[in-house]
Amino acid sequence: MNSKAFYYLFRHSYAQLGWWIGAGVSVLHVLFYQFAELIWDQWTPPKPETLTPTIAYGLTGLYTNQTEPDGIEAFVLHGSMWVLVGWGLIKTVYLKNWSVWPAVGLCVLFFFRAGFHPPADGFLFGTGVRYYPVVLVGLSAFVAGVIWLSSHYKPWHAWLWLAALAVPCFIAGGRPSDWDYSFVFAPAYALVSGISIKDIYFQYDLLLSGLAALFFKWHIDLNYFQVLGQASVWIFCVLIFWWAKEVFQAKQLALYLLVVVFIMRLFPYYTDTYAEFQMSPLRLDWWIVVALLAWKKGTDHWSVGLLLAFLLVLHRSFGIFYSIAYVEYIVLTMGSELLGPSGQKTKFLPLVQTYVRRYAINVILLGTGLIVTYLIFGNVLSPGMKIYQSLKIGFMRVAPTSFFWYIIGIIALTGATLFRFKEEVSLQYREAVFLLMALTICNLFYFLGRSHEHNLPNTSGPVFVLLFVWIDSLWRRKIPVRSIRRVLYWLPVGILWFSGLAYMVGIKDKLSGMATNVRHRRTIYSFQHPSSAKRAMIRRLTNHSSKVYFYDESLGKNFWYTLDGQYPPVGYYQPYSAWPLLTELIPFFQNLLDEGYYLVTETPSEAAAILPHLRYTSKVTKDGFIVVHAISEPNRSLSTSDSPKTTSH
């Protein structure tokens, strides 16, 4: 290695910055797992007898190896990310002359402790090994095409790619999850049936169920709701490319970023991103709309506050995340101003006054959003949301080998590099990237809530944008060492290649499913409705009553039985699978029976867990159905105090 290359790898200021941020990640990694047991113990597990069978199974059966008490882990790691960002900013100003070698040693320690494991399954070897040569050749040709386009970059090339990428976005590679979609459809059905918003639990928030309600109102086939998920993937890619094209100085990086994000959002899984609607960009990736609006109008423009208020009301979970991110962004930018250029301090009170004038309108809009949320829903955080958070169904501890630890390094490195050269970029650029950092950190709450590695690709969009921002900042420097320039030039190519290589199994499976759809001249799969014979049997078993409630454990079946049979929806939690507590479910079921309802299930274990707690006079078991009914006249109303949040129709 020549002396110049050695200098730029170890001695130059931004090389040292990178090593020391890596050292910070290593120290956080050690400290977190040193105190992990204390962090994880901050949780009181629920008593199994208080849970519905579905939820109890989720805690002890289905997720036996995937549910662990993680205590206050999400909050500790959220704070740790900001500590790492702060460490990077301070290192650029006050600690410039530290030796790099302790940092290199700590980075090596981290690598041996954490390893390097791309998130989700399918890295290099898995099922379908015989297809690898074909996929590898296709991947090579694909990457070569992107390299050629980037070296002959013209604006219309990228738009041509966007048009080409629309084809796989709009051809399904597998069946949709009836169970997952039922958490969107069931609240929508309750809405159009006249139940008040305050009396409905929206598992995936009002926005998605509100869109589904339009399908009901306009009598659009619900199978086509999948198209919204498909469209959201493509629109997400368009918005990512638009943002990058506007922000990056090296415009060809926008093309690499576009293709990498496309691969990461469409191909890492055995199923489509939108097959489980909770993973679609329409739910997870509103951050790009916030970031794009902030770039075009400015982070202090009223339209940014209005958008965040809109998300607070209609897309509550992520609206809260992004609002927290906005407040944290304001604190971050104030802190960076206090550090000042070249370490010069800025007076605190005048700076606070400046920021109050800049951001007061948007903070007021956020407060207004919270007030409107309370007026519409009767609360800011729904009771159901609080219960699910306390139960931690499917929650996992962040693994020591999780790729998450690399992601927090990328976030801090981008912020520190930007701060190091902040006098060389515009205020608009700096603030836009700082806001994106805050959005990325808060978007990771989705992963920290349920720390399954396959949730990292779901939240990878802003992470890759920040990574390419860092690459763009290095390309701006025009490093004089040819070998380093070559490494930086080929770095986005390597990221693209590795992304494709890591998810070859997902690419192969998805393309195979798409090919099957094309052969059958269709672009989506249909939902799996119960047969007409089963619906007719239910009619006979329930004496053609309209008062029927389904509590089956099967995936999505409760909703389709209710919808196809045109039974009125009832209850706060929609569908039945959303009920968390048996202590609330039993009074609700008893009131249903007292009102003359039939309770129907095809799951004997579900009936065995619930029926002993109920009073009923008739029980029929036939053709797999278990139907109970109270023949006596109703003597209590569904709105009585022992059945919280229930409504009769």
Side-chain angles (χ1 to χ4, degrees):
M1 182 184 298
N2 63 49
S3 58
K4 286 187 177 180
F6 181 86
Y7 170 78
Y8 277 98
L9 284 175
F10 295 102
R11 296 293 189 186
H12 194 276
S13 59
Y14 47 75
Q16 292 200 12
L17 184 61
W19 286 112
W20 275 108
I21 286 176
V25 174
S26 182
V27 170
L28 280 178
H29 189 266
V30 171
L31 288 176
F32 178 79
Y33 289 104
Q34 185 68 31
F35 296 98
E37 292 297 333
L38 177 63
I39 294 168
W40 293 332
D41 285 344
Q42 305 305 307
W43 178 63
T44 303
K47 297 178 180 179
E49 61 269 19
T50 66
L51 305 176
T52 60
T54 301
I55 300 302
Y57 180 56
L59 285 173
T60 60
L62 179 62
Y63 297 116
T64 298
N65 298 317
Q66 298 182 22
T67 293
E68 303 165 315
D70 64 353
I72 56 173
E73 177 184 84
F75 304 104
V76 171
L77 289 177
H78 180 80
S80 299
M81 285 188 273
W82 281 115
V83 168
L84 191 63
V85 169
W87 160 245
L89 299 186
I90 292 172
K91 180 67 178 71
T92 63
V93 176
Y94 297 110
L95 308 172
K96 296 180 180 180
N97 299 320
W98 284 15
S99 171
V100 74
W101 300 116
V104 173
L106 286 170
C107 288
V108 172
L109 172 66
F110 170 73
F111 184 80
F112 279 103
R113 283 173 58 90
F116 187 82
H117 307 280
D121 299 328
F123 177 60
L124 294 182
F125 296 105
T127 58
V129 175
R130 69 181 185 277
Y131 293 100
Y132 282 151
V134 176
V135 177
L136 195 59
V137 170
L139 176 63
S140 302
F142 183 75
V143 173
V146 176
I147 294 172
W148 185 89
L149 279 177
S150 67
S151 61
H152 300 79
Y153 181 79
K154 293 181 180 179
W156 65 268
H157 285 165
W159 294 109
L160 180 64
W161 270 97
L162 282 171
L165 295 181
V167 176
C169 284
F170 285 95
I171 300 177
R175 291 192 175 277
S177 167
D178 292 74
W179 177 77
D180 194 72
Y181 273 79
S182 70
F183 288 101
V184 177
F185 292 157
Y189 185 42
L191 273 176
V192 298
S193 299
I195 299 180
S196 169
I197 288 178
K198 293 181 179 180
D199 293 326
I200 304 172
Y201 173 59
F202 296 92
Q203 182 93 2
Y204 298 153
D205 296 316
L206 178 58
L207 178 63
L208 300 188
S209 291
L211 291 172
L214 294 178
F215 275 64
F216 284 104
K217 284 286 189 182
W218 297 338
H219 305 289
I220 302 173
D221 188 340
L222 287 181
N223 286 311
Y224 293 112
F225 194 79
Q226 299 169 67
V227 177
L228 290 183
Q230 293 175 325
S232 73
V233 176
W234 186 76
I235 293 172
F236 173 64
C237 290
V238 171
L239 295 179
I240 286 276
F241 174 72
W242 188 6
W243 190 94
K245 183 174 66 69
E246 292 275 335
V247 175
F248 291 167
Q249 187 178 73
K251 302 303 181 185
Q252 61 268 44
L253 283 177
L255 180 60
Y256 284 113
L257 175 62
L258 165 66
V259 180
V260 169
V261 169
F262 171 78
I263 291 173
M264 294 301 297
R265 287 303 270 127
L266 199 66
F267 290 111
Y269 308 109
Y270 61 91
T271 186
D272 292 308
T273 297
Y274 43 82
E276 294 191 9
F277 210 79
Q278 63 168 308
M279 301 191 305
S280 70
L282 188 58
R283 179 170 186 248
L284 299 183
D285 290 303
W286 282 87
W287 62 266
I288 184 58
V289 183
V290 178
L292 189 56
L293 187 59
W295 169 259
K296 300 295 287 186
K297 296 293 187 179
T299 57
D300 57 352
H301 194 266
W302 61 265
S303 59
V304 176
L306 186 63
L307 174 59
L308 292 172
F310 165 84
L311 292 173
L312 271 174
V313 176
L314 296 182
H315 204 45
R316 189 161 25 165
S317 299
F318 286 87
I320 291 172
F321 293 163
Y322 300 155
S323 298
I324 293 172
Y326 192 72
V327 173
E328 291 176 339
Y329 152 76
I330 295 173
V331 174
L332 171 65
T333 51
M334 283 186 61
S336 67
E337 290 294 330
L338 287 172
L339 290 175
S342 303
Q344 297 175 4
K345 292 185 178 180
T346 304
K347 291 184 178 180
F348 180 71
L349 287 180
L351 182 64
V352 171
Q353 291 172 354
T354 299
Y355 272 74
V356 168
R357 286 194 297 268
R358 286 189 64 189
Y359 294 102
I361 292 178
N362 283 350
V363 172
I364 291 172
L365 285 171
L366 292 183
T368 304
L370 290 174
I371 293 172
V372 173
T373 299
Y374 183 82
L375 293 176
I376 292 177
F377 296 96
N379 48 63
V380 174
L381 295 175
S382 72
M385 185 185 299
K386 294 176 182 177
I387 290 173
Y388 272 91
Q389 174 65 29
S390 66
L391 294 179
K392 297 185 178 295
I393 302 163
F395 280 31
M396 291 180 66
R397 301 165 181 174
V398 174
T401 57
S402 172
F403 202 78
F404 165 80
W405 297 103
Y406 285 92
I407 287 174
I408 66 175
I410 291 171
I411 296 170
L413 180 60
T414 303
T417 303
L418 176 64
F419 185 72
R420 171 69 178 80
F421 302 111
K422 71 175 186 175
E423 297 174 19
E424 301 176 19
V425 297
S426 67
L427 177 65
Q428 177 194 24
Y429 181 94
R430 187 166 70 249
E431 291 187 339
V433 175
F434 276 164
L435 177 59
L436 180 61
M437 286 172 54
L439 291 169
T440 304
I441 289 173
C442 287
N443 208 53
L444 283 169
F445 267 124
Y446 181 77
F447 166 74
L448 294 174
R450 291 186 172 183
S451 306
H452 308 277
E453 283 296 284
H454 65 246
N455 276 335
L456 284 177
N458 292 333
T459 56
S460 65
V463 176
F464 277 108
V465 174
L466 288 177
L467 178 59
F468 276 78
V469 166
W470 178 73
I471 294 172
D472 183 59
S473 68
L474 295 184
W475 280 25
R476 291 169 183 254
R477 303 300 302 164
K478 303 188 185 309
I479 296 173
V481 182
R482 180 180 298 178
S483 59
I484 301 296
R485 285 203 312 272
R486 285 178 177 173
V487 170
L488 292 176
Y489 176 80
W490 287 101
L491 183 57
V493 178
I495 294 170
L496 172 58
W497 175 270
F498 188 80
S499 299
L501 186 65
Y503 299 106
M504 288 176 67
V505 172
I507 292 172
K508 184 269 296 181
D509 291 344
K510 202 68 60 65
L511 292 178
S512 176
M514 291 176 180
T516 300
N517 250 349
V518 169
R519 285 197 302 270
H520 289 85
R521 298 181 181 180
R522 65 190 181 199
T523 59
I524 58 174
Y525 288 88
S526 298
F527 292 110
Q528 301 181 65
H529 293 249
S531 67
S532 57
K534 284 193 171 186
R535 296 200 303 270
M537 174 59 68
I538 290 171
R539 287 290 187 192
R540 290 194 294 272
L541 293 175
T542 59
N543 295 314
H544 299 274
S545 173
S546 63
K547 293 183 174 183
V548 179
Y549 188 88
F550 299 92
Y551 64 104
D552 202 89
E553 189 181 72
S554 301
L555 304 182
K557 193 176 292 185
N558 303 298
F559 168 71
W560 293 122
Y561 272 132
T562 302
L563 179 67
D564 295 345
Q566 298 183 346
Y567 300 107
V570 62
Y572 176 61
Y573 291 98
Q574 305 281 346
Y576 161 76
S577 305
W579 278 93
L581 298 178
L582 191 65
T583 51
E584 291 186 359
L585 179 67
I586 293 303
F588 169 68
F589 269 16
Q590 189 60 60
N591 278 347
L592 288 180
L593 287 170
D594 293 344
E595 285 285 336
Y597 273 78
Y598 291 82
L599 302 183
V600 180
T601 186
E602 289 183 274
T603 307
S605 60
E606 205 85 1
I610 293 174
L611 295 187
H613 301 280
L614 300 175
R615 301 185 308 275
Y616 54 88
T617 57
S618 170
K619 178 181 178 182
V620 176
T621 301
K622 186 175 183 180
D623 292 344
F625 291 104
I626 302 172
V627 182
V628 298
H629 178 56
I631 299 176
S632 60
E633 291 297 319
N635 53 29
R636 286 192 292 176
S637 169
L638 287 179
S639 59
T640 54
S641 59
D642 63 347
S643 181
K645 295 290 186 180
T646 60
T647 307
S648 177
H649 291 273

